[in-house]
Amino acid sequence: MNKLYVGNLSPSVTVEDLQQLFGERKLPVAEQVLLKSGYAFVDFPDQNSAIKAIETLSGKVELHGKVIEVDYSVPKKLRSRKIQIRNIPPHLQWEVLDGLLAQYGTVENVEQVNTDTETAVVNVTYATKEEAKEAIEKLTGHQFDDYSFNVSYIMDMDAAPPVQAPRTRRGGRSSRDQGPPQPGPSGGFGAPRPRQHDFPLRMLVPTQFVGAIIGKEGLTIKNVTKQTQSKVDIHRKENAGAAEKPITIHSTPEGCSSACRMILDIMQKEANETKTTEDIPLKILAHNSLVGRLIGKEGRNLKKIEEETGTKITISSLQDLTIYNPERTITVKGSLEACCKAEAEIMKKLREAYENDIAAINQQANLIPGLNLNALGIFSSGLPVLPPAAGPRGTVTPVAPAGYNPFLVCLSLHFQSHSSHLSGLYGVPPASAIPHQHSQQAPEQEVVYLFIPTQAVGALIGKKGQHIKQLAHFAGASIKIAPAESPDVTERMVIITGTPEAQFKAQGRIFGKLKEENFFSAKEEVKLETHIKVPSTAAGRVIGKGGKTVNELQNLTSAEVIVPRDQTPDENDEVFVKISGHFFASQTAQRKIREIIQQVKQQEQKHQQGTAVSPHHSK
């Protein structure tokens, strides 16, 4: 996606003129320049430099008396559902951007592009090419706080015509087949191989040691990857001039640990040779949403790792987090052997948290059929979500992204497995896809009572009520803050009314807002108490015989679920169920309890119908 079209060129422009222009603008030397009459095609080494070329040159530079135009070179057949939006204000709230994008159709995916520009860049995938076309037309030049959006098509390889299979000789084997076919996972040939969970190890290393880690002509890093059977990415170009550079290691847990040990050893030897007296700590990067579970309640997990490995572990402050960097730095000090032992334990805890979140996400998708999680746009840096990578369209394989740009955590979710033919968040299939029915029931309105810290009320409401209005509009829910019962209350009740997906969006953004605004300390995960009302006749079913159901519910969801005893039912014959936990734990518990309520209602309806017809049978 790094091939650019340079148009409106004077006939006198030469390849040397273009290369000189790139040099003057501090753009990397183009790998290939193909000059035609009045235009040229230029290959840049990476997407970051391609974006920089478009932003610094297009419509801004005159060459031989003509202002040049620069954009992505995308063949017409590949201009389909994918677009790129540039020059987005860095302070723009994600829910505002999501709402803007959703005006033109169903957004399947949004990914932020890692660039060195001050403004943000995102790649957006719409459900249809018509929606993408309308978005380009309406968003190009869109003004937001003195920033003007620039929008382009980017290649949509899903739109490419299928490649015809090569002709086969008699006997069915292709003339191009090389060697025997590889067995699939079930023993059959040609079956797709299952993708494994890939949770990479992210490290920070001092910049002065990067050369030693790479080695002459890359031999040292090649040796590391070969011996540990891992893929090691050294992000040298990130954060130019920074004292430290990130390294991402993709492998099995054992492979990651082995590569980490080798890198630490290389740095220690280099430090000895250069007579660097300071000890080199191990620094691990972890997404903020996972760190709370690494620390554990009252710091118990971290203390245990320190005691068992003989290390000192510190974690960077929440104040260091930004919308561009939701990772925290875990610094481990000790001997090389001790640091390696601590790495294994730390990564074990982080992987467990990641696996639990993936399971919760999958479960949530199952519990609300048709819910397109990636279009919700609620996944701020505070939420316990890591993105799966998409397999074939309409399917999902939960793995961490190859490049592990942590910002993708926000929006890169592709849960269409339940809604490949549905539109919107809770859309309805086309008439041809469903049987004729007398009535289509709309999703039931639910009421949830969410309790937030009193000091967070102002942040949730926003200046002149703007934030809570935007949130209500974005979620499609009614959101009201109940009056304080007394001046010294520590919590306030937020009353949310809406459909299941509206509840999911509204509650998710509130959880995220509290984390973003630092209302929870570095050692705390965002856990809130939620109350929902259930018919008094269903309360016993929620508890179960001897508390069996509520215990199973707590084990399944990781949320604390309490049905207070001796409650007096209200005028609607309903009682409260209290749920406490992080976002996905709370959501899953709410869905499960709603299922129980629905089952009880259905049984009561059947019983009433049976009572109504019984006199006729007795005649």
Side-chain angles (χ1 to χ4, degrees):
M1 204 173 71
N2 310 322
K3 188 172 186 177
L4 301 185
Y5 164 84
V6 183
N8 200 35
L9 293 180
S10 167
S12 60
V13 169
T14 65
V15 170
E16 290 72 23
D17 290 332
L18 289 171
Q19 289 176 335
Q20 182 182 345
L21 175 63
F22 301 148
E24 290 171 354
R25 299 290 167 153
K26 296 182 179 178
L27 295 167
V29 177
E31 295 180 351
Q32 186 177 352
V33 178
L34 180 61
L35 183 61
K36 300 284 187 178
S37 179
Y39 63 94
F41 295 107
V42 183
D43 284 343
F44 278 92
D46 53 56
Q47 186 175 194
N48 194 358
S49 56
I51 289 170
K52 188 177 179 182
I54 295 172
E55 292 299 287
T56 58
L57 299 178
S58 189
K60 300 175 182 177
V61 173
E62 191 176 285
L63 196 59
H64 289 210
K66 299 184 77 172
V67 178
I68 65 172
E69 300 168 358
V70 185
D71 205 346
Y72 288 109
S73 172
V74 182
K76 283 188 178 180
K77 62 184 178 183
L78 297 183
R79 294 179 196 172
S80 184
R81 303 177 304 118
K82 296 188 176 183
I83 64 173
Q84 182 178 92
I85 307 174
R86 301 180 298 279
N87 203 36
I88 300 171
H91 58 271
L92 181 64
Q93 292 287 324
W94 273 104
E95 58 261 34
V96 177
L97 179 60
D98 293 333
L100 187 61
L101 297 176
Q103 291 178 22
Y104 310 112
T106 302
V107 178
E108 289 193 351
N109 187 37
V110 182
E111 295 178 1
Q112 181 168 15
V113 181
N114 186 21
T115 71
D116 54 11
T117 59
E118 291 182 1
T119 53
V121 178
V122 295
N123 291 343
V124 183
T125 305
Y126 277 96
T128 68
K129 64 180 181 181
E130 289 76 20
E131 292 170 346
K133 183 182 178 183
E134 184 181 2
I136 282 188
E137 292 171 353
K138 298 291 176 62
L139 290 175
T140 298
H142 179 85
Q143 292 286 331
F144 193 97
D145 289 352
D146 298 326
Y147 292 82
S148 180
F149 289 178
N150 299 323
V151 191
S152 305
Y153 276 111
I154 55 177
M155 286 195 187
D156 183 2
M157 299 312 294
D158 291 341
V163 179
Q164 290 186 348
R167 293 184 181 182
T168 56
R169 296 177 178 177
R170 292 184 181 182
R173 286 289 299 278
S174 166
S175 59
R176 297 185 183 180
D177 284 352
Q178 299 291 328
Q182 297 295 316
S186 60
F189 291 98
R193 295 178 181 233
R195 292 181 65 175
Q196 301 298 314
H197 286 265
D198 174 22
F199 184 76
L201 166 62
R202 297 258 298 160
M203 299 173 61
L204 266 184
V205 302
T207 302
Q208 69 261 36
F209 296 130
V210 169
I213 295 168
I214 295 171
K216 191 175 181 180
E217 297 180 352
L219 290 177
T220 306
I221 196 67
K222 284 178 184 176
N223 183 45
V224 172
T225 57
K226 186 176 181 182
Q227 286 197 36
T228 63
Q229 295 196 344
S230 58
K231 180 177 182 286
V232 182
D233 295 323
I234 301 175
H235 308 285
R236 286 178 292 171
K237 294 182 181 179
E238 286 186 18
N239 305 323
E244 296 173 309
K245 298 291 184 183
I247 293 179
T248 306
I249 304 170
H250 298 267
S251 187
T252 61
E254 297 77 16
C256 286
S257 294
S258 298
C260 175
R261 177 186 289 271
M262 290 185 74
I263 289 170
L264 289 175
D265 191 48
I266 291 165
M267 290 195 295
Q268 194 60 61
K269 287 177 180 176
E270 180 69 12
N272 294 339
E273 290 177 8
T274 55
K275 298 182 180 178
T276 304
T277 54
E278 294 180 9
D279 289 333
I280 304 166
L282 165 64
K283 291 190 177 183
I284 297 172
L285 294 171
H287 192 272
N288 182 50
S289 63
L290 306 176
V291 169
R293 282 164 283 178
L294 167 65
I295 295 169
K297 193 172 183 181
E298 298 176 354
R300 290 173 191 165
N301 291 347
L302 221 52
K303 287 175 187 174
K304 185 180 179 185
I305 295 173
E306 286 180 322
E307 290 168 2
E308 290 180 351
T309 61
T311 56
K312 176 65 178 173
I313 304 173
T314 55
I315 298 177
S316 62
S317 168
L318 274 171
Q319 302 295 332
D320 298 334
L321 296 177
T322 68
I323 194 168
Y324 289 106
N325 176 31
E327 287 181 300
R328 293 171 72 182
T329 305
I330 304 159
T331 303
V332 185
K333 293 185 177 179
S335 66
L336 189 144
E337 192 63 35
C339 285
C340 290
K341 286 181 181 177
E343 178 274 329
E345 293 303 314
I346 289 168
M347 289 300 292
K348 181 180 176 184
K349 287 289 180 188
L350 293 174
R351 282 190 187 94
E352 286 174 359
Y354 165 71
E355 296 286 348
N356 288 340
D357 288 344
I358 289 296
I361 292 170
N362 282 322
Q363 191 174 52
Q364 190 68 44
N366 290 331
L367 290 172
I368 309 181
L371 182 66
N372 177 354
L373 293 182
N374 80 283
L376 295 177
I378 65 166
F379 299 105
S380 69
S381 58
L383 293 177
V385 185
L386 282 173
R393 195 171 173 203
T395 66
V396 170
T397 309
V399 295
Y404 195 62
N405 175 353
F407 200 89
L408 304 191
V409 174
C410 298
L411 296 161
S412 181
L413 295 167
H414 297 259
F415 283 91
Q416 267 76 47
S417 55
H418 300 281
S419 57
S420 58
H421 63 282
L422 301 183
S423 61
L425 293 170
Y426 215 83
V428 180
S432 58
I434 56 175
H436 291 289
Q437 296 177 345
H438 295 293
S439 64
Q440 283 290 114
Q441 287 188 340
E444 187 176 346
Q445 295 284 312
E446 300 173 351
V447 181
V448 171
Y449 306 87
L450 182 65
F451 291 83
I452 66 172
T454 299
Q455 64 269 33
V457 170
L460 181 59
I461 294 173
K463 191 175 182 180
K464 296 182 180 179
Q466 282 301 307
H467 185 267
I468 199 166
K469 287 177 185 174
Q470 287 177 354
L471 176 55
H473 177 73
F474 165 71
S478 165
I479 304 173
K480 296 178 182 177
I481 299 176
E485 294 180 358
S486 66
D488 57 347
V489 291
T490 58
E491 289 185 322
R492 292 283 294 277
M493 182 168 69
V494 182
I495 305 168
I496 306 169
T497 306
T499 59
E501 74 274 18
Q503 290 288 349
F504 191 90
K505 293 168 72 176
Q507 292 177 50
R509 277 306 302 150
I510 292 172
F511 271 75
K513 185 68 173 175
L514 296 185
K515 194 67 170 181
E516 289 167 10
E517 299 288 345
N518 297 328
F519 287 109
F520 286 76
S521 71
K523 294 188 176 182
E524 288 181 288
E525 192 169 11
V526 180
K527 291 185 178 180
L528 300 178
E529 185 171 307
T530 305
H531 294 183
I532 62 175
K533 287 185 176 181
V534 304
S536 59
T537 52
R541 287 284 297 275
V542 174
I543 298 169
K545 192 173 182 179
K548 183 181 178 183
T549 304
V550 76
N551 287 336
E552 288 178 349
L553 194 59
Q554 292 184 127
N555 291 333
L556 172 69
T557 65
S558 301
E560 183 181 7
V561 181
I562 299 172
V563 184
R565 296 184 181 277
D566 304 323
Q567 288 190 76
T568 302
D570 63 13
E571 65 276 10
N572 296 319
D573 198 28
E574 292 180 323
V575 295
F576 278 111
V577 174
K578 299 180 179 180
I579 303 163
S580 298
H582 67 68
F583 174 67
F584 271 108
S586 176
Q587 285 297 303
T588 310
Q590 288 178 47
R591 289 297 111 221
K592 283 294 184 185
I593 292 168
R594 300 284 186 196
E595 282 184 1
I596 293 171
I597 295 170
Q598 197 60 36
Q599 289 169 3
V600 171
K601 286 182 177 179
Q602 288 173 352
Q603 288 174 355
E604 287 177 349
Q605 287 173 356
K606 286 182 180 178
H607 178 72
Q608 290 171 358
Q609 289 171 356
T611 305
V613 299
S614 59
H616 299 286
H617 291 292
S618 60
K619 286 182 180 178

